[in-house]
Amino acid sequence: MVNSLVAYTRLLHWLMKLVGMRQEEVHIEPGTVIHFWVPSETTSKANDLHTQPIKKKQNPEKPVVVFLHGFGFNGILNWQFQVLALSRKYSLYVPDFLFFGGSTTLRNDRSPGFQAESMAKALRQLGIHKCTLVGHSYGGMVGFKMAEMFPDLVHSMVICCSVMALTDSISRVSLARLGFSSWSEFLIPNSIIGVKAMLNGGSYRSQWIPEFVHKDILEVMFDNREERTELLEALQVRDEDFRISKFSQKIHLLWGKEDKIFTMEVAYNLKEQLEGKPTLDAIEKAGHLVQLDRPFVYNSCLKKILESFYNYDDLKQQ
């Protein structure tokens, strides 16, 4: 019997091709490969380590938007509804983080800084020199790192249900609310019950899903368990080591109002840490997986945010 998630993924890949997306593997160094969904017109030489970075000029009519996924799913499952809604107006790039989907490395570095560096190298190899990042949860944390390390690459950011860094104090409060002792216990389940708890913790309300679907998710979604555990360990920061960075980019915070992982209090604290610079929108009746809970409302908000980031002068300069 075909795994239901595998069957759905095949259908999703067909839909992505219909809207002008295709898959690309970017070899950024020996042993490190980043898997992307990219616009079909992207030059297909990014997988050759011996070629120079592509100098293709970005289409001034279509600003580049890079979607950075959360920890639970790979890139295209996390952002499927947004790609379908935005691919006509924007050049969309949807990578898988290392040890998710088709991305992997032989390096031992598990830090969000290494993820950020790998993403930046891959984007430059694809010919991208300026982009907006849309980062959800784990992707938002990596997005902050990218903006800090590569301000010339990151034009602006939409941060969804995330934090600048996963400090001990944030972890304690969030895990206690969810009823788990560690992030790996919550985000890398090893049982059907664990899959249900992860999905319920991320959603606005518990939804009935057939038992076999939970089983199929468990079978195919949680590979590279050791490496993912190390990613979560490397993500956590002691309170005394946390330093607030300064960002030159435009930033917008977009939240699920009923997020049980990073609540609205976390969103307000993040806005305060950023000296009130970002704008903030909260979507009613949506949880941590806000882009999946209420995709149409989320897409409407995201379109308005992206339009506010880009004006004619911005596009002429790209």
Side-chain angles (χ1 to χ4, degrees), residues 118-221:
S118 299
M119 288 297 130
K121 285 181 178 178
L123 288 168
R124 293 195 193 280
Q125 207 157 314
L126 287 165
I128 305 305
H129 54 80
K130 188 74 71 175
C131 65
T132 290
L133 301 179
V134 182
H136 173 252
S137 196
Y138 180 66
M141 298 177 220
V142 176
F144 274 123
K145 280 292 182 184
M146 288 180 67
E148 179 184 353
M149 296 167 67
F150 307 99
D152 60 322
L153 174 65
V154 180
H155 168 275
S156 46
M157 294 192 293
V158 183
I159 300 297
C160 308
C161 303
S162 187
V163 290
M164 204 180 306
L166 190 60
T167 61
D168 287 342
S169 56
I170 290 174
S171 289
R172 280 195 301 271
V173 173
S174 298
L175 288 170
R177 185 185 306 113
L178 294 165
F180 287 87
S181 60
S182 69
W183 288 112
S184 58
E185 183 186 1
F186 175 55
L187 292 170
I188 316 173
N190 55 18
S191 68
I192 291 175
I193 292 175
V195 173
K196 291 179 181 178
M198 186 192 75
L199 295 177
N200 289 339
S203 302
Y204 165 59
R205 59 164 62 97
S206 299
Q207 298 182 1
W208 182 83
I209 298 175
E211 188 86 357
F212 75 87
V213 174
H214 290 112
K215 179 177 178 293
D216 289 349
I217 292 173
L218 181 65
E219 285 181 355
V220 301
M221 284 303 301

Side-chain angles (χ1 to χ4, degrees), residues 143-152 154 157 164 242-251 270-278:
F144 274 123
K145 280 292 182 184
M146 288 180 67
E148 179 184 353
M149 296 167 67
F150 307 99
D152 60 322
V154 180
M157 294 192 293
M164 204 180 306
F242 173 57
R243 299 290 180 270
I244 297 175
S245 299
K246 300 287 185 181
F247 296 95
S248 59
Q249 295 86 355
K250 303 172 186 178
I251 304 173
L270 177 58
K271 184 173 182 178
E272 186 176 333
Q273 288 173 344
L274 295 167
E275 300 177 343
K277 177 180 178 179

Side-chain angles (χ1 to χ4, degrees), residues 21-22 24 26 35-43 46 54 56-59 62-69 75-76 79 83 87 90-96 119 122-134:
M21 302 289 287
R22 65 174 179 79
E24 179 79 71
V26 183
H35 173 268
F36 273 85
W37 281 90
V38 303
S40 295
E41 64 268 19
T42 301
T43 305
I54 301 166
K56 172 179 167 289
K57 183 177 177 60
Q58 292 174 202
N59 183 349
K62 298 180 73 172
V64 172
V65 179
V66 178
F67 286 98
L68 303 176
H69 65 82
I76 208 63
W79 296 113
V83 173
S87 60
Y90 297 93
S91 291
L92 306 182
Y93 290 77
V94 188
D96 293 330
M119 288 297 130
L123 288 168
R124 293 195 193 280
Q125 207 157 314
L126 287 165
I128 305 305
H129 54 80
K130 188 74 71 175
C131 65
T132 290
L133 301 179
V134 182

